[in-house]
Amino acid sequence: MKSILQELPNIGPKVAEQLEEIGVHTPEDLAAMGAKEAWLRILAIDPSACINRLMGLEGGTQGIPKKLLSQEVRDDLKAFYRQAKG
């Protein structure tokens, strides 16, 4: 059965499954948690979580494809990613 999370832009079956695993079950849950925190929790269970997944989660919270994220948001996420990955 397709997860309601897959109705969000950028959220495919694998990411939806990971979101469910970290306690995110609805688009509202994701919005409340925020893309950064959701990505950190996914990273804890999947060390391969990359910048594209972070960008996709942010797009999902905004309801837009990740390619439409503003440059300011993209730059912020890149800095966050670099810091988180050490």
Side-chain angles (χ1 to χ4, degrees):
M1 189 168 122
K2 186 175 176 179
S3 165
I4 190 170
L5 293 166
Q6 289 179 255
E7 295 175 9
L8 294 171
N10 318 304
I11 307 298
K14 180 178 180 177
V15 175
E17 183 180 309
Q18 289 178 330
L19 286 168
E20 295 273 353
E21 192 172 334
I22 64 163
V24 173
H25 304 288
T26 66
E28 294 79 16
D29 291 343
L30 179 57
M33 182 178 290
K36 291 177 179 176
E37 180 62 27
W39 181 81
L40 285 172
R41 292 183 187 195
I42 288 173
L43 181 64
I45 61 170
D46 179 4
S48 76
C50 63
I51 185 72
N52 291 320
R53 193 160 320 162
L54 176 58
M55 299 268 184
L57 289 166
E58 181 61 34
T61 65
Q62 293 188 29
I64 61 173
K66 64 184 175 188
K67 67 182 179 185
L68 297 181
L69 291 171
S70 72
Q71 190 60 51
E72 182 179 349
V73 169
R74 294 175 74 79
D75 290 345
D76 177 62
L77 292 173
K78 286 176 188 175
F80 175 80
Y81 177 83
R82 283 192 300 271
Q83 183 179 16
K85 284 293 218 178

